[in-house]
Amino acid sequence: MLQEVVLIKLGGSVVTHKQRPMTMNKIAIDQIFKSLLSVKVPIIFVHGGGSFGHYWSVKYNMHSKPDSYPSDGIAVVHESMISLNHKLVKSMIRFKLNPYSVSPFSIISNNKPLVKKIIELASMTRDKIIPVTFGDIVYRTHHKYSILSGDELMTMLSYVLRPKRVIFAVNVDGIYQNPRTKELISTVEEGSLIKFSNVNFDVTGGMKRKVREALKISLAGMDVHFVNGFKPDRLLKILDNKKTKGTVIKGKRSSKRNAR
Ligand code: IP8
């Protein structure tokens, strides 16, 4: 039977200082992992690139579009993600969280999920292991590569694992109706998913991609939470099924094949 898990994306702007190249946000990272010490639910983490992968992918002009990017750029972007992942994993080990680093290379091929390997990740959580995977530069086909965002990985993992909770930890309180007034959307009901996807929010850049992926996940029947990663108590509340500040996009019920 498929092991029930919680899938958490740690945004690059939470785990790194976005404005400072190759600098992780140690305080934020330690705070999150420390707060998870008491949590008993099986977790799989995905993390973003922040001032590691994004910094280099911008320098080398690499995108999500498959292309023949320069080999030195591919090497440097990948190394920067390995380095960030290593720092996160080391912090988790200090808090005795038993992380297991998983390169996206081993769970996807040409941006398609390797179902068997992803199910193995869920099985590993039974052994008190927390798999930690990440956005990266990945091989596509015919000598082309592309940037795979951690947000897209969240969708691929959700489709296969149908997690009990899907959580995006971001650097703001949730999805704002209007970022200028910081008017927070607390719930997107199932019935307004399509409307929401078309017009009903105003987000830019990285947040736009997260919302796009979150909508795919919710259309497949799972609730998706957005929470402030700098406030781990809120994350804990979601894990505890309690109400907290943030945004939840309700999953489409009719597709809840494995309703949990
Ligand atoms: O921060 C991107 O992952 P994201 C990773 O989840 C790279 O978009 C290599 C830029």
Side-chain angles (χ1 to χ4, degrees), residues 117-132:
K117 298 308 290 178
I118 291 174
I119 290 175
E120 281 175 15
L121 292 187
S123 301
M124 287 168 71
T125 64
R126 249 181 246 179
D127 308 319
K128 301 204 179 342
I129 294 284
I130 303 186
V132 190

Side-chain angles (χ1 to χ4, degrees), residues 39-55:
V39 171
K40 297 280 174 278
V41 291
I43 297 174
I44 296 179
F45 277 120
V46 175
H47 67 81
S51 68
F52 286 68
H54 278 289
Y55 173 76

Side-chain angles (χ1 to χ4, degrees), residues 110-257:
N110 194 18
N111 274 19
K112 301 276 176 309
L114 298 174
V115 173
K116 189 168 173 286
K117 298 308 290 178
I118 291 174
I119 290 175
E120 281 175 15
L121 292 187
S123 301
M124 287 168 71
T125 64
R126 249 181 246 179
D127 308 319
K128 301 204 179 342
I129 294 284
I130 303 186
V132 190
T133 188
F134 47 91
D136 203 351
I137 176 83
V138 290
Y139 183 70
R140 300 297 295 269
T141 55
H142 302 92
H143 307 284
K144 295 198 167 157
Y145 294 74
S146 67
I147 297 287
L148 169 71
S149 85
D151 302 330
E152 292 168 285
L153 262 178
M154 288 291 281
T155 306
M156 293 180 207
L157 293 173
S158 297
Y159 284 169
V160 177
L161 298 176
R162 303 199 61 85
K164 185 163 107 173
R165 309 219 188 299
V166 180
I167 304 170
F168 285 82
V170 291
N171 65 344
V172 288
D173 285 337
I175 303 170
Y176 297 127
Q177 182 78 53
N178 178 341
R180 282 169 294 280
T181 59
K182 293 210 169 20
E183 188 194 333
L184 193 66
I185 301 173
S186 58
T187 310
V188 179
E189 293 297 343
E190 187 201 339
S192 52
L193 273 179
I194 299 298
K195 190 170 142 219
F196 179 77
S197 64
N198 290 335
V199 284
N200 216 16
F201 64 100
D202 174 15
V203 291
T204 49
M207 197 58 151
K208 197 167 219 160
R209 192 185 48 233
K210 282 179 218 315
V211 172
R212 189 183 64 215
E213 296 304 320
L215 281 169
K216 287 188 204 162
I217 299 169
S218 43
L219 285 169
M222 291 156 273
D223 293 352
V224 182
H225 298 262
F226 283 78
V227 68
N228 192 327
F230 299 122
K231 314 268 182 199
D233 51 307
R234 297 182 190 167
L235 183 62
L236 290 189
K237 288 223 173 92
I238 298 174
L239 295 178
D240 230 5
N241 211 8
K242 298 205 173 99
K243 265 198 123 33
T244 189
K245 191 168 186 172
T247 302
V248 55
I249 305 181
K250 294 281 190 188
K252 193 165 167 239
R253 303 237 171 254
S254 50
S255 8
K256 267 189 184 160
R257 278 178 281 132

